[in-house]
Amino acid sequence: MIDLRSAYRTWLAANVPADWREVCAGDRRAIVALARTWMAELNAGGYAGRGWPIEYGGMGAGLADQIVMIEEETRADAPSIAVFSIGLTHTGSTLIQHGSDEQRRQHLPKILSGDVLWCQGFSEPNAGSDLASLQCRALRDGENYIVNGQKVWSSNADVADWCLLLVRTDPDAPKRKGISYLMLDLRSPGVEVRPLRQMTGSAEFSEIFLEDVVVPIANRIGAEHDGWRVSQTTLQSERGPLFLPSIQRLRSRVGDAIDDLCDSGAAADPLVRQSLAGCYAEIEILGELYGQVLADQMHAGEAGSGAAIIKLCYSEVLNRFTGTVSDALGLFGLQGGPQSPDAAGEMDWFNDHLHSWGMTIGGGTSDIQRNLIGEHVLGLPRDPSVA
């Protein structure tokens, strides 16, 4: 039997475009176009949907093999398909577990082929951390729902084709009981997507406004009013090896930081060297900790509370590391130094630091992660405000 690592390394060596970073050069539309092309290449090579069951077009790869593939992609400097993460993880896992046969036939192959991008319409202006408080309404009208409301912080909604949408279908039921789970075609009349410009200058998040949008009942996943239970599959799909590429990239950037600090002369300051050494130690500890979480997941079949620990540690370490380097570089860092924008999302250190603050919020704030760790790892009493 051919070793997966060897086979995938050989395939990547033959197929990774040598000039993909220069071709994209920070152009977001070009990055998305490249991701679609690369996704199609992976699918043609038999390497798409690695964790999906074989009967749904995936590889049926276990967690250990998925980790091997991520490691080889990092080694080969392969293009990112992060823009497909909602489709590959959230949509895929949700449809595989809760979707109808027709829904799977309609949507799953188009994700693997790179033809369709998905985004997620969960959070609202007044329903972020307390997601079950969402107020986007869907009223039954024959064989359709009429949807009105607003979603926010939807990643890549401005380039997506479809959206996973949580709506309230029974306003009189307890908040977790009156929610349904829909699939929304973003080309539907009444849908308006407005990109949100962030302090970094990028706009990968968007607001989605819905005014009398018609969604067929056939696009509902699971039973009516059972969307909260279905959504737990979506949220749990974020666990697993998804943080591995980010942590590996963080490790590799320590070398970039040393080069930049030396070039700028900041490395001559012993306090700068001491701060960077502290960050390096934290990053290495994070890598080892994540390895243990993945090992536990392979043994137990789920990430458990380790996911909250990794999310918290990664967000906080990223923020401290980029802050340490950008502060030490000063004006050199504001000018970007040798770090030029490219298709992987690389920016100058200052912008990286600005972006890192978002990581302490998205996917559950650091305070929420601390609550989860306190309650589920340390066994502390549940917060009375949410009991």
mmCIF file of all heavy atoms in Angstrom, residues 8-46:
data_model
loop_
_atom_site.group_PDB
_atom_site.id
_atom_site.type_symbol
_atom_site.label_atom_id
_atom_site.label_comp_id
_atom_site.label_asym_id
_atom_site.label_seq_id
_atom_site.Cartn_x
_atom_site.Cartn_y
_atom_site.Cartn_z
ATOM 1 N N TYR A 8 1.156 11.960 -1.304
ATOM 2 C CA TYR A 8 0.660 13.336 -1.337
ATOM 3 C C TYR A 8 1.804 14.312 -1.557
ATOM 4 O O TYR A 8 1.647 15.312 -2.266
ATOM 5 C CB TYR A 8 -0.084 13.655 -0.039
ATOM 6 C CG TYR A 8 -0.942 14.895 -0.107
ATOM 7 C CD1 TYR A 8 -1.727 15.165 -1.212
ATOM 8 C CD2 TYR A 8 -0.985 15.801 0.954
ATOM 9 C CE1 TYR A 8 -2.521 16.297 -1.274
ATOM 10 C CE2 TYR A 8 -1.786 16.934 0.907
ATOM 11 C CZ TYR A 8 -2.546 17.176 -0.213
ATOM 12 O OH TYR A 8 -3.342 18.296 -0.276
ATOM 13 N N ARG A 9 2.954 14.028 -0.992
ATOM 14 C CA ARG A 9 4.116 14.894 -1.210
ATOM 15 C C ARG A 9 4.490 14.922 -2.683
ATOM 16 O O ARG A 9 4.782 15.986 -3.249
ATOM 17 C CB ARG A 9 5.297 14.404 -0.372
ATOM 18 C CG ARG A 9 6.546 15.256 -0.521
ATOM 19 C CD ARG A 9 7.663 14.770 0.386
ATOM 20 N NE ARG A 9 7.311 14.919 1.803
ATOM 21 C CZ ARG A 9 8.139 14.610 2.802
ATOM 22 N NH1 ARG A 9 9.375 14.141 2.525
ATOM 23 N NH2 ARG A 9 7.759 14.758 4.063
ATOM 24 N N THR A 10 4.459 13.764 -3.315
ATOM 25 C CA THR A 10 4.779 13.683 -4.738
ATOM 26 C C THR A 10 3.749 14.440 -5.569
ATOM 27 O O THR A 10 4.097 15.172 -6.500
ATOM 28 C CB THR A 10 4.829 12.214 -5.187
ATOM 29 O OG1 THR A 10 5.843 11.523 -4.442
ATOM 30 C CG2 THR A 10 5.134 12.101 -6.667
ATOM 31 N N TRP A 11 2.474 14.261 -5.220
ATOM 32 C CA TRP A 11 1.407 14.943 -5.964
ATOM 33 C C TRP A 11 1.524 16.453 -5.817
ATOM 34 O O TRP A 11 1.388 17.200 -6.795
ATOM 35 C CB TRP A 11 0.046 14.450 -5.467
ATOM 36 C CG TRP A 11 -1.106 14.987 -6.272
ATOM 37 C CD1 TRP A 11 -1.644 14.420 -7.394
ATOM 38 C CD2 TRP A 11 -1.835 16.199 -6.040
ATOM 39 N NE1 TRP A 11 -2.673 15.207 -7.867
ATOM 40 C CE2 TRP A 11 -2.816 16.306 -7.066
ATOM 41 C CE3 TRP A 11 -1.766 17.207 -5.075
ATOM 42 C CZ2 TRP A 11 -3.710 17.369 -7.140
ATOM 43 C CZ3 TRP A 11 -2.649 18.269 -5.149
ATOM 44 C CH2 TRP A 11 -3.613 18.346 -6.169
ATOM 45 N N LEU A 12 1.773 16.923 -4.608
ATOM 46 C CA LEU A 12 1.920 18.355 -4.377
ATOM 47 C C LEU A 12 3.109 18.928 -5.157
ATOM 48 O O LEU A 12 3.021 20.015 -5.734
ATOM 49 C CB LEU A 12 2.086 18.639 -2.888
ATOM 50 C CG LEU A 12 0.842 18.459 -2.011
ATOM 51 C CD1 LEU A 12 1.221 18.523 -0.533
ATOM 52 C CD2 LEU A 12 -0.217 19.503 -2.321
ATOM 53 N N ALA A 13 4.202 18.203 -5.166
ATOM 54 C CA ALA A 13 5.391 18.674 -5.887
ATOM 55 C C ALA A 13 5.105 18.862 -7.368
ATOM 56 O O ALA A 13 5.654 19.761 -8.014
ATOM 57 C CB ALA A 13 6.544 17.688 -5.696
ATOM 58 N N ALA A 14 4.205 18.037 -7.890
ATOM 59 C CA ALA A 14 3.889 18.110 -9.311
ATOM 60 C C ALA A 14 2.788 19.111 -9.633
ATOM 61 O O ALA A 14 2.648 19.526 -10.796
ATOM 62 C CB ALA A 14 3.484 16.722 -9.818
ATOM 63 N N ASN A 15 2.003 19.514 -8.635
ATOM 64 C CA ASN A 15 0.809 20.298 -8.928
ATOM 65 C C ASN A 15 0.736 21.681 -8.292
ATOM 66 O O ASN A 15 -0.049 22.521 -8.743
ATOM 67 C CB ASN A 15 -0.438 19.506 -8.513
ATOM 68 C CG ASN A 15 -0.705 18.319 -9.414
ATOM 69 O OD1 ASN A 15 -1.303 18.452 -10.471
ATOM 70 N ND2 ASN A 15 -0.246 17.145 -8.984
ATOM 71 N N VAL A 16 1.499 21.955 -7.233
ATOM 72 C CA VAL A 16 1.440 23.287 -6.616
ATOM 73 C C VAL A 16 2.001 24.318 -7.590
ATOM 74 O O VAL A 16 3.147 24.180 -8.040
ATOM 75 C CB VAL A 16 2.238 23.319 -5.295
ATOM 76 C CG1 VAL A 16 2.360 24.756 -4.791
ATOM 77 C CG2 VAL A 16 1.565 22.461 -4.239
ATOM 78 N N PRO A 17 1.229 25.350 -7.925
ATOM 79 C CA PRO A 17 1.747 26.376 -8.842
ATOM 80 C C PRO A 17 2.927 27.113 -8.207
ATOM 81 O O PRO A 17 2.832 27.619 -7.093
ATOM 82 C CB PRO A 17 0.555 27.325 -9.031
ATOM 83 C CG PRO A 17 -0.657 26.530 -8.608
ATOM 84 C CD PRO A 17 -0.169 25.593 -7.536
ATOM 85 N N ALA A 18 4.014 27.182 -8.928
ATOM 86 C CA ALA A 18 5.240 27.766 -8.360
ATOM 87 C C ALA A 18 5.093 29.255 -8.085
ATOM 88 O O ALA A 18 5.709 29.793 -7.156
ATOM 89 C CB ALA A 18 6.414 27.517 -9.308
ATOM 90 N N ASP A 19 4.281 29.943 -8.867
ATOM 91 C CA ASP A 19 4.195 31.402 -8.763
ATOM 92 C C ASP A 19 2.866 31.873 -8.202
ATOM 93 O O ASP A 19 2.460 33.011 -8.441
ATOM 94 C CB ASP A 19 4.421 32.031 -10.141
ATOM 95 C CG ASP A 19 3.368 31.584 -11.153
ATOM 96 O OD1 ASP A 19 2.653 30.587 -10.867
ATOM 97 O OD2 ASP A 19 3.249 32.220 -12.215
ATOM 98 N N TRP A 20 2.184 31.027 -7.425
ATOM 99 C CA TRP A 20 0.823 31.387 -7.021
ATOM 100 C C TRP A 20 0.790 32.634 -6.133
ATOM 101 O O TRP A 20 -0.139 33.432 -6.197
ATOM 102 C CB TRP A 20 0.122 30.217 -6.347
ATOM 103 C CG TRP A 20 0.638 29.790 -5.002
ATOM 104 C CD1 TRP A 20 1.590 28.851 -4.758
ATOM 105 C CD2 TRP A 20 0.198 30.258 -3.730
ATOM 106 N NE1 TRP A 20 1.792 28.706 -3.408
ATOM 107 C CE2 TRP A 20 0.939 29.554 -2.745
ATOM 108 C CE3 TRP A 20 -0.745 31.184 -3.306
ATOM 109 C CZ2 TRP A 20 0.772 29.764 -1.377
ATOM 110 C CZ3 TRP A 20 -0.924 31.398 -1.941
ATOM 111 C CH2 TRP A 20 -0.169 30.697 -0.997
ATOM 112 N N ARG A 21 1.803 32.840 -5.321
ATOM 113 C CA ARG A 21 1.816 34.033 -4.465
ATOM 114 C C ARG A 21 1.949 35.308 -5.307
ATOM 115 O O ARG A 21 1.249 36.300 -5.061
ATOM 116 C CB ARG A 21 2.960 33.953 -3.449
ATOM 117 C CG ARG A 21 2.760 32.882 -2.383
ATOM 118 C CD ARG A 21 3.883 32.922 -1.357
ATOM 119 N NE ARG A 21 3.697 31.887 -0.346
ATOM 120 C CZ ARG A 21 2.954 32.029 0.753
ATOM 121 N NH1 ARG A 21 2.328 33.170 0.967
ATOM 122 N NH2 ARG A 21 2.840 31.049 1.625
ATOM 123 N N GLU A 22 2.835 35.290 -6.289
ATOM 124 C CA GLU A 22 3.022 36.471 -7.116
ATOM 125 C C GLU A 22 1.794 36.743 -7.973
ATOM 126 O O GLU A 22 1.423 37.906 -8.200
ATOM 127 C CB GLU A 22 4.246 36.288 -8.016
ATOM 128 C CG GLU A 22 5.576 36.295 -7.285
ATOM 129 C CD GLU A 22 5.849 34.988 -6.523
ATOM 130 O OE1 GLU A 22 5.160 33.986 -6.811
ATOM 131 O OE2 GLU A 22 6.719 34.991 -5.639
ATOM 132 N N VAL A 23 1.129 35.682 -8.439
ATOM 133 C CA VAL A 23 -0.055 35.857 -9.280
ATOM 134 C C VAL A 23 -1.171 36.547 -8.502
ATOM 135 O O VAL A 23 -1.879 37.417 -9.020
ATOM 136 C CB VAL A 23 -0.542 34.490 -9.811
ATOM 137 C CG1 VAL A 23 -1.918 34.614 -10.453
ATOM 138 C CG2 VAL A 23 0.463 33.928 -10.806
ATOM 139 N N CYS A 24 -1.319 36.180 -7.226
ATOM 140 C CA CYS A 24 -2.404 36.753 -6.420
ATOM 141 C C CYS A 24 -2.014 38.089 -5.813
ATOM 142 O O CYS A 24 -2.787 39.052 -5.865
ATOM 143 C CB CYS A 24 -2.805 35.777 -5.321
ATOM 144 S SG CYS A 24 -3.574 34.275 -5.972
ATOM 145 N N ALA A 25 -0.832 38.162 -5.211
ATOM 146 C CA ALA A 25 -0.267 39.422 -4.694
ATOM 147 C C ALA A 25 -1.261 40.285 -3.936
ATOM 148 O O ALA A 25 -1.410 41.466 -4.199
ATOM 149 C CB ALA A 25 0.345 40.211 -5.827
ATOM 150 N N GLY A 26 -1.966 39.688 -2.980
ATOM 151 C CA GLY A 26 -2.835 40.461 -2.106
ATOM 152 C C GLY A 26 -4.181 40.823 -2.692
ATOM 153 O O GLY A 26 -4.991 41.473 -2.025
ATOM 154 N N ASP A 27 -4.462 40.450 -3.926
ATOM 155 C CA ASP A 27 -5.747 40.726 -4.570
ATOM 156 C C ASP A 27 -6.755 39.677 -4.108
ATOM 157 O O ASP A 27 -6.663 38.510 -4.468
ATOM 158 C CB ASP A 27 -5.575 40.678 -6.091
ATOM 159 C CG ASP A 27 -6.860 41.017 -6.839
ATOM 160 O OD1 ASP A 27 -7.955 40.853 -6.267
ATOM 161 O OD2 ASP A 27 -6.762 41.424 -8.006
ATOM 162 N N ARG A 28 -7.747 40.105 -3.305
ATOM 163 C CA ARG A 28 -8.654 39.133 -2.688
ATOM 164 C C ARG A 28 -9.454 38.356 -3.729
ATOM 165 O O ARG A 28 -9.691 37.155 -3.567
ATOM 166 C CB ARG A 28 -9.598 39.843 -1.708
ATOM 167 C CG ARG A 28 -10.480 38.878 -0.924
ATOM 168 C CD ARG A 28 -10.974 39.499 0.359
ATOM 169 N NE ARG A 28 -11.902 38.616 1.028
ATOM 170 C CZ ARG A 28 -13.227 38.650 0.852
ATOM 171 N NH1 ARG A 28 -13.749 39.554 0.064
ATOM 172 N NH2 ARG A 28 -14.012 37.814 1.480
ATOM 173 N N ARG A 29 -9.907 39.022 -4.757
ATOM 174 C CA ARG A 29 -10.660 38.327 -5.798
ATOM 175 C C ARG A 29 -9.790 37.282 -6.494
ATOM 176 O O ARG A 29 -10.254 36.188 -6.829
ATOM 177 C CB ARG A 29 -11.191 39.337 -6.819
ATOM 178 C CG ARG A 29 -12.223 40.302 -6.245
ATOM 179 C CD ARG A 29 -13.551 39.622 -6.013
ATOM 180 N NE ARG A 29 -14.474 40.474 -5.268
ATOM 181 C CZ ARG A 29 -15.749 40.183 -5.068
ATOM 182 N NH1 ARG A 29 -16.258 39.067 -5.551
ATOM 183 N NH2 ARG A 29 -16.526 40.987 -4.367
ATOM 184 N N ALA A 30 -8.518 37.614 -6.691
ATOM 185 C CA ALA A 30 -7.608 36.652 -7.299
ATOM 186 C C ALA A 30 -7.357 35.473 -6.354
ATOM 187 O O ALA A 30 -7.217 34.329 -6.793
ATOM 188 C CB ALA A 30 -6.284 37.330 -7.659
ATOM 189 N N ILE A 31 -7.300 35.756 -5.048
ATOM 190 C CA ILE A 31 -7.115 34.699 -4.056
ATOM 191 C C ILE A 31 -8.286 33.731 -4.097
ATOM 192 O O ILE A 31 -8.111 32.502 -4.071
ATOM 193 C CB ILE A 31 -6.969 35.307 -2.650
ATOM 194 C CG1 ILE A 31 -5.688 36.117 -2.548
ATOM 195 C CG2 ILE A 31 -6.986 34.213 -1.589
ATOM 196 C CD1 ILE A 31 -5.588 36.956 -1.287
ATOM 197 N N VAL A 32 -9.510 34.262 -4.187
ATOM 198 C CA VAL A 32 -10.702 33.412 -4.242
ATOM 199 C C VAL A 32 -10.703 32.586 -5.527
ATOM 200 O O VAL A 32 -11.010 31.388 -5.515
ATOM 201 C CB VAL A 32 -11.983 34.265 -4.139
ATOM 202 C CG1 VAL A 32 -13.222 33.404 -4.380
ATOM 203 C CG2 VAL A 32 -12.065 34.928 -2.767
ATOM 204 N N ALA A 33 -10.359 33.218 -6.646
ATOM 205 C CA ALA A 33 -10.308 32.494 -7.919
ATOM 206 C C ALA A 33 -9.286 31.368 -7.861
ATOM 207 O O ALA A 33 -9.534 30.248 -8.352
ATOM 208 C CB ALA A 33 -9.982 33.463 -9.058
ATOM 209 N N LEU A 34 -8.120 31.652 -7.252
ATOM 210 C CA LEU A 34 -7.099 30.612 -7.104
ATOM 211 C C LEU A 34 -7.604 29.476 -6.235
ATOM 212 O O LEU A 34 -7.384 28.295 -6.544
ATOM 213 C CB LEU A 34 -5.832 31.203 -6.500
ATOM 214 C CG LEU A 34 -4.741 30.184 -6.167
ATOM 215 C CD1 LEU A 34 -4.077 29.670 -7.431
ATOM 216 C CD2 LEU A 34 -3.705 30.758 -5.217
ATOM 217 N N ALA A 35 -8.300 29.813 -5.134
ATOM 218 C CA ALA A 35 -8.823 28.772 -4.245
ATOM 219 C C ALA A 35 -9.801 27.860 -4.973
ATOM 220 O O ALA A 35 -9.800 26.633 -4.772
ATOM 221 C CB ALA A 35 -9.500 29.414 -3.029
ATOM 222 N N ARG A 36 -10.641 28.446 -5.824
ATOM 223 C CA ARG A 36 -11.582 27.622 -6.591
ATOM 224 C C ARG A 36 -10.829 26.669 -7.527
ATOM 225 O O ARG A 36 -11.154 25.486 -7.616
ATOM 226 C CB ARG A 36 -12.517 28.523 -7.413
ATOM 227 C CG ARG A 36 -13.562 29.288 -6.595
ATOM 228 C CD ARG A 36 -14.469 30.084 -7.531
ATOM 229 N NE ARG A 36 -15.450 30.898 -6.851
ATOM 230 C CZ ARG A 36 -16.666 30.487 -6.499
ATOM 231 N NH1 ARG A 36 -17.043 29.242 -6.760
ATOM 232 N NH2 ARG A 36 -17.522 31.305 -5.895
ATOM 233 N N THR A 37 -9.815 27.195 -8.201
ATOM 234 C CA THR A 37 -9.029 26.365 -9.116
ATOM 235 C C THR A 37 -8.281 25.273 -8.368
ATOM 236 O O THR A 37 -8.254 24.104 -8.788
ATOM 237 C CB THR A 37 -8.032 27.239 -9.892
ATOM 238 O OG1 THR A 37 -8.741 28.230 -10.629
ATOM 239 C CG2 THR A 37 -7.199 26.406 -10.849
ATOM 240 N N TRP A 38 -7.681 25.641 -7.224
ATOM 241 C CA TRP A 38 -6.918 24.665 -6.445
ATOM 242 C C TRP A 38 -7.833 23.607 -5.845
ATOM 243 O O TRP A 38 -7.473 22.431 -5.778
ATOM 244 C CB TRP A 38 -6.119 25.380 -5.374
ATOM 245 C CG TRP A 38 -5.233 24.476 -4.564
ATOM 246 C CD1 TRP A 38 -5.277 24.260 -3.221
ATOM 247 C CD2 TRP A 38 -4.163 23.654 -5.050
ATOM 248 N NE1 TRP A 38 -4.323 23.359 -2.834
ATOM 249 C CE2 TRP A 38 -3.616 22.971 -3.943
ATOM 250 C CE3 TRP A 38 -3.631 23.435 -6.320
ATOM 251 C CZ2 TRP A 38 -2.562 22.077 -4.068
ATOM 252 C CZ3 TRP A 38 -2.563 22.540 -6.438
ATOM 253 C CH2 TRP A 38 -2.041 21.877 -5.322
ATOM 254 N N MET A 39 -9.046 24.012 -5.434
ATOM 255 C CA MET A 39 -10.003 23.043 -4.911
ATOM 256 C C MET A 39 -10.367 22.029 -5.987
ATOM 257 O O MET A 39 -10.455 20.819 -5.714
ATOM 258 C CB MET A 39 -11.259 23.779 -4.429
ATOM 259 C CG MET A 39 -12.223 22.914 -3.645
ATOM 260 S SD MET A 39 -11.568 22.485 -2.020
ATOM 261 C CE MET A 39 -12.455 20.956 -1.745
ATOM 262 N N ALA A 40 -10.563 22.499 -7.210
ATOM 263 C CA ALA A 40 -10.869 21.595 -8.319
ATOM 264 C C ALA A 40 -9.709 20.634 -8.583
ATOM 265 O O ALA A 40 -9.916 19.443 -8.879
ATOM 266 C CB ALA A 40 -11.195 22.396 -9.575
ATOM 267 N N GLU A 41 -8.479 21.148 -8.470
ATOM 268 C CA GLU A 41 -7.300 20.294 -8.662
ATOM 269 C C GLU A 41 -7.231 19.209 -7.591
ATOM 270 O O GLU A 41 -6.950 18.032 -7.885
ATOM 271 C CB GLU A 41 -6.029 21.151 -8.622
ATOM 272 C CG GLU A 41 -5.824 22.044 -9.823
ATOM 273 C CD GLU A 41 -5.347 21.267 -11.035
ATOM 274 O OE1 GLU A 41 -4.809 20.160 -10.870
ATOM 275 O OE2 GLU A 41 -5.534 21.768 -12.161
ATOM 276 N N LEU A 42 -7.464 19.599 -6.343
ATOM 277 C CA LEU A 42 -7.464 18.618 -5.258
ATOM 278 C C LEU A 42 -8.523 17.548 -5.486
ATOM 279 O O LEU A 42 -8.287 16.352 -5.274
ATOM 280 C CB LEU A 42 -7.706 19.320 -3.919
ATOM 281 C CG LEU A 42 -6.578 20.195 -3.374
ATOM 282 C CD1 LEU A 42 -7.082 21.038 -2.201
ATOM 283 C CD2 LEU A 42 -5.399 19.336 -2.921
ATOM 284 N N ASN A 43 -9.698 17.974 -5.931
ATOM 285 C CA ASN A 43 -10.784 17.027 -6.168
ATOM 286 C C ASN A 43 -10.433 16.063 -7.294
ATOM 287 O O ASN A 43 -10.652 14.852 -7.184
ATOM 288 C CB ASN A 43 -12.070 17.796 -6.514
ATOM 289 C CG ASN A 43 -13.294 16.917 -6.495
ATOM 290 O OD1 ASN A 43 -13.496 16.108 -5.587
ATOM 291 N ND2 ASN A 43 -14.147 17.056 -7.504
ATOM 292 N N ALA A 44 -9.863 16.599 -8.375
ATOM 293 C CA ALA A 44 -9.467 15.750 -9.495
ATOM 294 C C ALA A 44 -8.386 14.747 -9.092
ATOM 295 O O ALA A 44 -8.344 13.621 -9.594
ATOM 296 C CB ALA A 44 -8.980 16.613 -10.666
ATOM 297 N N GLY A 45 -7.537 15.174 -8.154
ATOM 298 C CA GLY A 45 -6.471 14.281 -7.689
ATOM 299 C C GLY A 45 -6.917 13.299 -6.628
ATOM 300 O O GLY A 45 -6.130 12.442 -6.202
ATOM 301 N N GLY A 46 -8.166 13.424 -6.154
ATOM 302 C CA GLY A 46 -8.685 12.525 -5.126
ATOM 303 C C GLY A 46 -8.333 12.950 -3.718
ATOM 304 O O GLY A 46 -8.411 12.133 -2.788
#
